[in-house]
Amino acid sequence: MHAILAEYFSGQWSQGQLRPILLPSLTTLLNADRKVPPQPLWFTGEIANLRKLHELPYHLAHAGKWEELHKSVLGSLDWLCCKTLQCGVSCVIQDLSLCTDLTDCPEIQMLKETFLLLKPSLDFSDGNVDPSLLVTEIFARLQGLADLYPSMIGQLCSQCVDWFSSCTDPVLVPKCSFFQAPGGPLKSTLTGFTKGVKAVVLCSKRELLVAGSEDGLIIVWSLSHLQTLHTLSGHTAGVLSLKMVDKTNNCLSTALDGTLRKWCLLSGQQLFCITDAVSVQTHTPAHVHLIEEKKIIITNPSSLVKAWHLDTAEPLYEVTAGVCSVLGVVGDAIACICSEGVLCFYDTSTGMQNSQTPLPCSAGHHNITCSLTLTKYAKILIAFGEGRLHSVWSHGIESVVDLPTPALFLRTSEDEKLLFAGCDRTLCVFLVTLTSMQKVLNLHHDASVLCAVSSSEGSEIITSAQDRIIRVWSVTTGALLDWIGVMDSAVSTLAVHQRTIISASVIANQLKVWQLDYNTKHRSKSFIPAYCPLVVLSKDGDTVFYVKEGNKTEVFTWSCSEGLQTDSMDVSSEVCCMELAQQKHLLFCGLRTGTILIYPLDFALETLCLPPPESLPTVRSMAISPREDRMAVAYEDAVCLFEITARDSFPCVDGPFERYSLCLLHSPISAMALLSDCRLLYGTFGGEVVIYDFKSATAAELDHHGAAITCITMSNWDAQALIGSQDCVQKLWNLSPVLLNHTMEYKGFYFEGVLCAVFSINDKYVFTGSLDKTIKVWDVSSGCLLYIQYVYSPVIKMMPHKDGFVAMSQHGSFIKEGFQCPDTLKPGYNPLRNFQAHYRVTSREKSLNAPHTMINELPDYNPAQFNFIGIGLMKTKSSNTCVLL
């Protein structure tokens, strides 16, 4: 049946055989082929064959026609685009999940993970999926796997190449895989919240993931299918904590609205709500404690201890003595810190006080940094500010352990055999027994440790730190096994289910799902460490020089072609800025002490040095002239001009020959460019833009920006310069004479500040990398926005390359793309079709010869109120000072 229906929806006759036809009016059989209607993907340009889209994959899979399924459905770019555009990306994932359930095909699994990875981007576009967006997502993820999986993945990549070559609109074409590839550590991204995620719990038995956000929502996902099961709404403020009721299908939640709610995770229904159950003070160590055997819930609102029945929410008892906070439950006692500075124990059934003991530190409860209950050993661990960890049980203090620094968090493995204490940049690992705690490991990080968990088997420790990286360590040796993720914000919560890791942040509104076991061949090699504060690229895009976030006194070299770190150079002080002379192969490093170290890349063992001025000012910025014969160095109080020469074929830097002093009230220089004729164009953190001529010792101030200048980029022919800032305005200047050609204003959903820019080799286009994680392409002659591409991470450095550019992102990804654009755009072409944004370009009349630097603007202009397409309708008459495009 499935084979017959599959051939029907493929437009073929059943099993390819002729069947006789018996007409009612005739007694003879007609040996003829009964025809079936054609089954194209598109009936017209806008109407798709929805029945074929929905039914053909199902029948092909159940008929076992895998070759045809690979060729005409799953391996067809036309099919994938059509179904995604018409039915949504979730329907494509359902088809792929159906196939992976029926057959063990690695290529189908790769394709399924690809669509799971790109789903959040397509969902963000509100269903208005553009084919270029989808093809770019597929190609930039699968390109590196084409040789490993040639039959389907390779064919898909070939179809993507054909699609790009036939595209008649402006488009950026990926030349390497720079998006997260399938089969790697990242498995999926879970969305649904509008604010950061505060709490995450797992129910391994039922394979459920529950997360609560600062927007008050609680979402339940299936861990097996990574699909949303329920969205629990009821809290009117941010969720503070979640606690799973192990013996039922229920979950408890507390929030900043002061309520405690019980939910059924199977039905998604709220079972009860207790008002004023918890304190809304965020510094409260714990919000709710559960004694499941006795069906008792303990809460700590406003210096009280209240007990409630787990099933009925009936109040059981109340402790009114001055209780500052509840630490946990030890055996049959509730351990509390009282206002008198003593540790009190109350009976869990009656609320009567059993005993009390003085706190070990004179500072009392204000000195406690964190605490943890050890259920298995009926103990409570209390960490104090002077770096001591105390073990407490119902009869008093049992033992004391010294820590290198005060513990910011305490956590145990699932079996409570290992204890993790986060002490600034060190994670201390202890082996816990009934009578002792023995330190076994010190795991050192580049930044403060925020969270730690152990894998389900207990063989690995997974940590997150302030540098936004997740690390995997060996329990037995303490060796760093892997780092599996880079986030936009530091991970504050980790959870483990089998070999799957879930990460969340109080800043990000998404959860990431990672796989501990993955094929290392699928991991992209084109990356450097994330969040490097300084990065420079060679012009051919083959080499990257960078300084790590946690180590600014060492410069590393990375080969883009080999994907390997090739060398490192120790520096005597913190590196503040770097520049690369491309033709002369000189790497300049400006230090905090005012010294400039120069590394001749052709002479590996040699180093040149420019000594600092007498006041030892920090090197703020450096700029090299296009011919690489001069270099400008901006200190805190002056800008100096040096000459780059050679002696006996060995590079040499002489000077300074010129000095431009900055006044005391001058804002620090943030970016600059040195022209061939000894003019210096620079911008400051205050938004000022100045052009200074070293030959005539004159300075002229150009248009002021409303925020710090982030980049000044000259065209390859030294004729124009783009000035970008932290606000939504960037300006394109003509340099001879100095004229403002275009003011380009872009207002989007996120903050748009430009971080870097580069002109194409022919100077026809300028590419910009922005904080909104996009790359934008602008036309130099008209200032028009031609194309926008979302790349998941802000681009921090760009260089021109052949028909496009090479770049490095904040996540450390190496990006290589070509740009193709027709000579004329289609009528009505809208570069913002995939983005919720507006932009405006203000240009000067090309016929004017007057040296205008200021362009009149519309009164009370707000970029958010305008759309570029509609600007022309507002203009009633031509202006003699500017043209509005």
Side-chain angles (χ1 to χ4, degrees):
M1 180 191 69
H2 290 297
I4 293 172
L5 289 173
E7 291 190 349
Y8 172 82
F9 286 109
S10 299
Q12 305 170 4
W13 175 233
S14 175
Q15 300 177 3
Q17 298 178 359
L18 298 178
R19 297 291 182 86
I21 302 174
L22 178 61
L23 299 180
S25 58
L26 300 175
T27 57
T28 59
L29 294 175
L30 300 178
N31 192 15
D33 186 6
R34 287 180 287 181
K35 301 297 181 183
V36 295
Q39 298 285 345
L41 275 179
W42 297 92
F43 292 126
T44 66
E46 297 180 355
I47 302 177
N49 188 346
L50 293 180
R51 285 201 64 190
K52 178 175 183 175
L53 291 172
H54 285 295
E55 306 223 15
L56 182 58
Y58 180 85
H59 294 303
L60 284 174
H62 283 85
K65 295 190 173 186
W66 298 108
E67 184 176 353
E68 184 177 348
L69 185 70
H70 285 194
K71 183 178 179 181
S72 60
V73 178
L74 304 183
S76 169
L77 184 64
D78 291 339
W79 175 281
L80 294 175
C81 287
C82 181
K83 183 145 191 178
T84 304
L85 297 177
Q86 294 296 311
C87 307
V89 66
S90 296
C91 290
V92 179
I93 294 174
Q94 288 176 5
D95 289 345
L96 295 166
S97 299
L98 168 69
C99 297
T100 55
D101 291 341
L102 295 176
T103 183
D104 184 17
C105 175
E107 292 196 81
I108 297 178
Q109 182 64 37
M110 292 295 102
L111 197 58
K112 175 186 174 182
E113 291 187 21
T114 298
F115 276 83
L116 284 171
L117 291 172
L118 61 83
K119 184 178 184 295
S121 293
L122 269 58
D123 288 344
F124 185 74
S125 62
D126 297 329
N128 300 319
V129 180
D130 185 75
S132 65
L133 174 63
L134 179 60
V135 176
T136 298
E137 284 274 349
I138 293 174
F139 192 45
R141 295 183 189 278
L142 296 179
Q143 194 175 161
L145 303 176
D147 294 335
L148 290 175
Y149 304 97
S151 61
M152 190 170 77
I153 301 296
Q155 289 300 315
L156 263 179
C157 290
S158 297
Q159 295 171 46
C160 290
V161 173
D162 295 338
W163 187 93
F164 281 119
S165 62
S166 62
C167 183
T168 57
D169 287 333
V171 65
L172 283 169
V173 184
K175 301 295 185 182
C176 68
S177 291
F178 51 84
F179 288 167
Q180 181 71 50
L186 181 60
K187 190 174 181 181
S188 182
T189 300
L190 305 179
T191 60
F193 297 121
T194 59
K195 294 184 179 179
V197 180
K198 186 71 174 179
V200 176
V201 292
L202 288 175
C203 179
S204 298
K205 295 179 182 179
R206 300 167 187 84
E207 293 194 330
L208 296 178
L209 168 65
V210 187
S213 169
E214 291 186 339
D215 59 11
L217 288 179
I218 300 172
I219 300 181
V220 184
W221 286 276
S222 165
L223 282 172
S224 56
H225 298 94
L226 297 178
Q227 294 179 343
T228 302
L229 299 180
H230 305 292
T231 298
L232 313 179
S233 57
H235 287 296
T236 58
V239 176
L240 287 175
S241 66
L242 294 170
K243 189 172 289 291
M244 197 73 67
V245 182
D246 292 334
K247 296 183 180 180
T248 64
N249 299 311
N250 302 331
C251 175
L252 300 176
S253 66
T254 61
L256 285 171
D257 57 8
T259 63
L260 184 149
R261 299 170 191 263
K262 184 179 180 181
W263 310 87
C264 176
L265 299 181
L266 297 183
S267 64
Q269 298 297 313
Q270 178 179 297
L271 301 180
F272 64 68
C273 172
I274 303 174
T275 59
D276 300 325
V278 296
S279 172
V280 298
Q281 296 178 356
T282 55
H283 66 264
T284 304
H287 303 282
V288 60
H289 302 270
L290 179 62
I291 309 172
E292 197 166 351
E293 296 76 13
K294 297 183 178 181
K295 294 186 178 297
I296 296 175
I297 306 171
I298 305 295
T299 65
N300 180 211
S302 303
S303 300
L304 300 174
V305 177
K306 290 187 177 183
W308 317 83
H309 196 280
L310 178 61
D311 294 334
T312 64
E314 175 187 357
L316 300 179
Y317 58 82
E318 181 177 313
V319 177
T320 58
V323 176
C324 294
S325 60
V326 177
L327 294 180
V329 178
V330 184
D332 292 329
I334 306 169
C336 304
I337 298 178
C338 297
S339 56
E340 295 84 6
V342 296
L343 191 61
C344 301
F345 296 90
Y346 298 90
D347 186 88
T348 56
S349 300
T350 63
M352 302 298 294
Q353 182 173 338
N354 293 336
S355 61
Q356 67 179 35
T357 184
L359 284 174
C361 297
S362 59
H365 67 278
H366 296 293
N367 197 30
I368 295 178
T369 58
C370 56
S371 63
L372 178 69
T373 302
L374 298 179
T375 306
K376 180 179 179 181
Y377 302 110
K379 297 179 183 179
I380 291 181
L381 303 178
I382 306 175
F384 289 88
E386 68 274 8
R388 298 175 73 84
L389 180 64
H390 296 264
S391 175
V392 177
W393 63 311
S394 57
H395 297 288
I397 300 172
E398 185 181 56
S399 61
V400 179
V401 176
D402 290 328
L403 301 174
T405 60
L408 301 179
F409 71 87
L410 296 171
R411 184 139 182 192
T412 65
S413 58
E414 190 173 349
D415 56 8
E416 294 190 357
K417 291 182 179 179
L418 293 177
L419 169 68
F420 310 125
C423 305
D424 194 21
R425 296 190 176 193
T426 302
L427 181 76
C428 299
V429 183
F430 295 87
L431 182 63
V432 181
T433 64
L434 182 62
T435 58
S436 66
M437 288 187 297
Q438 179 184 357
K439 185 189 291 186
V440 292
L441 290 174
N442 279 332
L443 305 180
H444 300 287
H445 296 65
D446 295 332
S448 297
V449 186
L450 300 179
C451 187
V453 293
S454 64
S455 59
S456 300
E457 300 83 4
S459 59
E460 293 137 335
I461 301 172
I462 301 99
T463 64
S464 66
Q466 196 68 48
D467 57 6
R468 293 153 287 197
I469 296 176
I470 298 175
R471 294 171 173 84
V472 183
W473 310 79
S474 169
V475 169
T476 55
T477 65
L480 180 62
L481 303 177
D482 196 4
W483 60 272
I484 62 170
V486 178
M487 268 58 61
D488 294 325
S489 55
V491 171
S492 55
T493 305
L494 287 170
V496 177
H497 170 68
Q498 297 176 359
R499 304 297 291 171
T500 301
I501 301 172
I502 293 91
S503 65
S505 170
V506 293
I507 299 176
N509 59 0
Q510 300 174 335
L511 289 86
K512 300 281 187 179
V513 182
W514 310 87
Q515 195 71 33
L516 275 173
D517 298 329
Y518 63 92
N519 191 339
T520 56
K521 293 181 180 179
H522 296 170
R523 182 164 187 162
S524 173
K525 296 181 180 180
S526 58
F527 60 83
I528 63 173
Y531 297 98
C532 291
L534 296 173
V535 174
V536 293
L537 270 164
S538 63
K539 194 167 186 177
D540 57 5
D542 188 60
T543 308
V544 181
F545 302 92
Y546 62 90
V547 174
K548 290 183 179 180
E549 187 176 30
N551 180 16
K552 295 183 180 180
T553 59
E554 191 172 5
V555 179
F556 297 90
T557 305
W558 181 76
S559 171
C560 302
S561 57
E562 299 176 5
L564 297 173
Q565 178 182 312
T566 58
D567 198 6
S568 65
M569 296 168 280
D570 288 326
V571 185
S572 58
S573 179
E574 180 181 331
V575 181
C576 296
C577 57
M578 288 197 303
E579 281 295 334
L580 181 64
Q582 302 286 347
Q583 284 78 29
K584 295 187 176 180
H585 300 111
L586 298 175
L587 178 65
F588 296 84
C589 297
L591 309 185
R592 181 170 295 279
T593 58
T595 303
I596 297 175
L597 295 181
I598 307 165
Y599 298 92
L601 302 180
D602 296 333
F603 303 90
L605 301 179
E606 301 295 334
T607 304
L608 305 179
C609 176
L610 292 178
E614 293 182 0
S615 59
L616 300 178
T618 299
V619 181
R620 290 287 186 181
S621 182
M622 296 183 293
I624 300 172
S625 64
R627 289 196 291 265
E628 297 186 356
D629 55 350
R630 298 183 182 91
M631 180 183 70
V633 179
Y635 300 99
E636 292 177 334
D637 56 353
V639 181
C640 295
L641 186 66
F642 297 84
E643 284 191 1
I644 304 174
T645 60
R647 294 175 185 170
D648 299 328
S649 300
F650 191 81
C652 178
V653 179
D654 296 326
F657 293 99
E658 301 289 344
R659 178 184 173 89
Y660 168 45
S661 298
L662 305 175
C663 66
L664 294 176
L665 299 179
H666 195 285
S667 183
I669 291 178
S670 57
M672 61 185 188
L674 182 62
L675 282 63
S676 300
D677 56 4
C678 283
R679 286 184 298 168
L680 178 71
L681 182 62
Y682 70 85
T684 70
F685 284 100
E688 298 91 356
V689 180
V690 177
I691 187 165
Y692 178 79
D693 192 335
F694 279 103
K695 291 181 178 179
S696 62
T698 58
E701 186 170 347
L702 306 185
D703 287 1
H704 193 286
H705 283 252
I709 304 300
T710 52
C711 73
I712 296 180
T713 304
M714 286 196 305
S715 63
N716 297 286
W717 300 101
D718 209 8
Q720 293 178 308
L722 181 88
I723 299 177
S725 66
Q726 288 181 348
D727 58 15
C728 62
V729 179
Q730 55 196 22
K731 298 185 179 184
L732 189 61
W733 290 84
N734 188 75
L735 297 177
S736 295
V738 179
L739 298 171
L740 179 58
N741 286 341
H742 310 292
T743 299
M744 297 106 85
E745 298 161 286
Y746 181 94
K747 183 69 177 178
F749 187 75
Y750 291 112
F751 184 68
E752 307 80 14
V754 175
L755 293 177
C756 61
V758 69
F759 285 80
S760 61
I761 290 180
N762 57 10
D763 283 350
K764 289 181 63 177
Y765 313 109
V766 62
F767 309 102
T768 60
S770 305
L771 275 175
D772 60 0
K773 306 176 187 178
T774 65
I775 295 173
K776 302 180 183 69
V777 186
W778 305 81
D779 184 80
V780 172
S781 61
S782 65
C784 292
L785 179 63
L786 298 176
Y787 191 72
I788 310 178
Q789 184 183 80
Y790 183 73
V791 291
Y792 292 90
S793 175
V795 172
I796 56 176
K797 194 68 177 180
M798 307 178 84
M799 289 295 293
H801 183 73
K802 293 182 179 179
D803 58 347
F805 62 89
V806 291
M808 295 302 302
S809 76
Q810 202 173 67
H811 283 179
S813 298
F814 175 72
I815 299 172
K816 186 177 182 180
E817 295 200 85
F819 179 66
Q820 61 184 46
C821 182
D823 295 332
T824 57
L825 301 181
K826 292 179 181 178
Y829 170 73
N830 180 14
L832 302 175
R833 59 188 181 274
N834 298 320
F835 298 87
Q836 301 174 7
H838 306 272
Y839 84 102
R840 186 180 79 160
V841 177
T842 308
S843 303
R844 68 177 175 88
E845 289 277 13
K846 297 298 183 181
S847 59
L848 293 180
N849 295 320
H852 289 291
T853 59
M854 294 293 292
I855 302 298
N856 294 338
E857 300 198 344
L858 294 176
D860 300 324
Y861 165 65
N862 181 355
Q865 298 175 355
F866 292 90
N867 189 314
F868 174 82
I869 304 301
I871 289 293
L873 301 177
M874 299 175 54
K875 185 179 175 185
T876 58
K877 63 180 181 178
S878 60
S879 168
N880 62 351
T881 57
C882 66
V883 173
L884 299 182
L885 298 178

